[in-house]
Amino acid sequence: MKRFCKEILPYILIVVIVLLIKEFLIAPVKVNGLSMYTTLHDGDVMLLNKIVYKFNPIKRGDIVVASWKDEYIIKRVIGLPGDTVEFKNNSLYINGKKIKENYTRGKTEDFNITLLGSKKVPKGYYVILGDNREDSVDSRIFGFMKKENILGRCKVTIFPFNRIGTKK
């Protein structure tokens, strides 16, 4: 028993700690598809911060992982609760003010959230879009995203090694 406690128990503790960290704090996620291109590439591996939104609000521009139809999707937060969101002539307008987006690719067709059934983003919901607007299944298709379905924020790419770093 002494031998077990001295030699094996530390390894068991390490495995348990790693599993707890992965389950509750940070987990790797793989980008599938081109909806966030050019910011993120198909196959990129990022770290998902699962606890950030327990202590901080979700912010416009955050790259998040959300659960939708038994899938995990990576998108960017565009509209916050209470916002009006509209695209006119390939430009984003939040609450009537034109917002410069330095991360988008492709043309965004004219769109207004009233098409989703509300003049403003409802409390507890968000508008999330892919950066590659011509190749993204996002709020323009599935509507507002519930806060409970946003699993956390992705900020750091860890693989491939030539793309390691913080993404904005």
Side-chain angles (χ1 to χ4, degrees), residues 17-31:
I17 290 170
V18 167
L19 291 174
L20 287 172
I21 288 172
K22 184 180 180 296
E23 181 66 28
F24 297 107
L25 301 176
I26 297 172
V29 292
K30 185 177 180 185
V31 176

Side-chain angles (χ1 to χ4, degrees), residues 34-42 44 76 102-106 130-133 163 167-168:
L34 299 173
S35 72
M36 287 297 291
Y37 187 78
T38 62
T39 307
L40 305 176
H41 296 195
D42 185 37
D44 282 358
R76 187 178 300 273
N102 298 325
Y103 42 76
T104 61
R105 179 175 195 265
D131 289 356
N132 185 358
R133 301 287 163 76
R163 295 192 33 78
K167 304 298 182 221
K168 292 183 180 185

Side-chain angles (χ1 to χ4, degrees), residues 2-168:
K2 246 185 182 179
R3 180 174 176 246
F4 173 81
C5 288
K6 190 174 182 180
E7 293 181 19
I8 308 292
L9 191 59
Y11 293 108
I12 293 172
L13 287 174
I14 289 170
V15 168
V16 168
I17 290 170
V18 167
L19 291 174
L20 287 172
I21 288 172
K22 184 180 180 296
E23 181 66 28
F24 297 107
L25 301 176
I26 297 172
V29 292
K30 185 177 180 185
V31 176
N32 291 313
L34 299 173
S35 72
M36 287 297 291
Y37 187 78
T38 62
T39 307
L40 305 176
H41 296 195
D42 185 37
D44 282 358
V45 177
M46 304 188 75
L47 290 178
L48 172 63
N49 183 336
K50 294 181 174 186
I51 62 165
V52 66
Y53 296 134
K54 303 242 187 282
F55 305 103
N56 300 293
I58 297 171
K59 296 179 189 163
R60 186 180 340 280
D62 284 356
I63 298 172
V64 298
V65 172
S67 175
W68 178 67
K69 285 192 172 182
D70 298 326
E71 291 182 42
Y72 297 117
I73 56 174
I74 298 178
K75 304 293 177 194
R76 187 178 300 273
V77 176
I78 300 298
L80 304 174
D83 282 348
T84 60
V85 178
E86 183 175 19
F87 285 94
K88 291 187 291 191
N89 301 320
N90 202 37
S91 294
L92 170 64
Y93 292 84
I94 301 288
N95 302 322
K97 181 180 174 193
K98 187 175 180 177
I99 305 294
K100 184 161 176 61
E101 297 182 286
N102 298 325
Y103 42 76
T104 61
R105 179 175 195 265
K107 185 176 188 301
T108 306
E109 296 295 325
D110 288 357
F111 172 78
N112 188 310
I113 64 167
T114 57
L115 297 172
L116 303 177
S118 178
K119 291 183 179 184
K120 293 186 177 202
V121 179
K123 184 178 181 180
Y125 289 83
Y126 296 83
V127 174
I128 61 174
L129 302 178
D131 289 356
N132 185 358
R133 301 287 163 76
E134 293 177 350
D135 189 14
S136 180
V137 174
D138 50 36
S139 284
R140 295 171 294 171
I141 294 170
F142 55 70
F144 301 114
M145 180 59 65
K146 283 184 180 181
K147 182 178 182 181
E148 297 85 52
N149 290 0
I150 296 177
L151 306 177
R153 180 179 71 198
C154 287
K155 228 177 173 178
V156 178
T157 301
I158 59 172
F159 187 82
F161 298 124
N162 65 335
R163 295 192 33 78
I164 287 177
T166 302
K167 304 298 182 221
K168 292 183 180 185

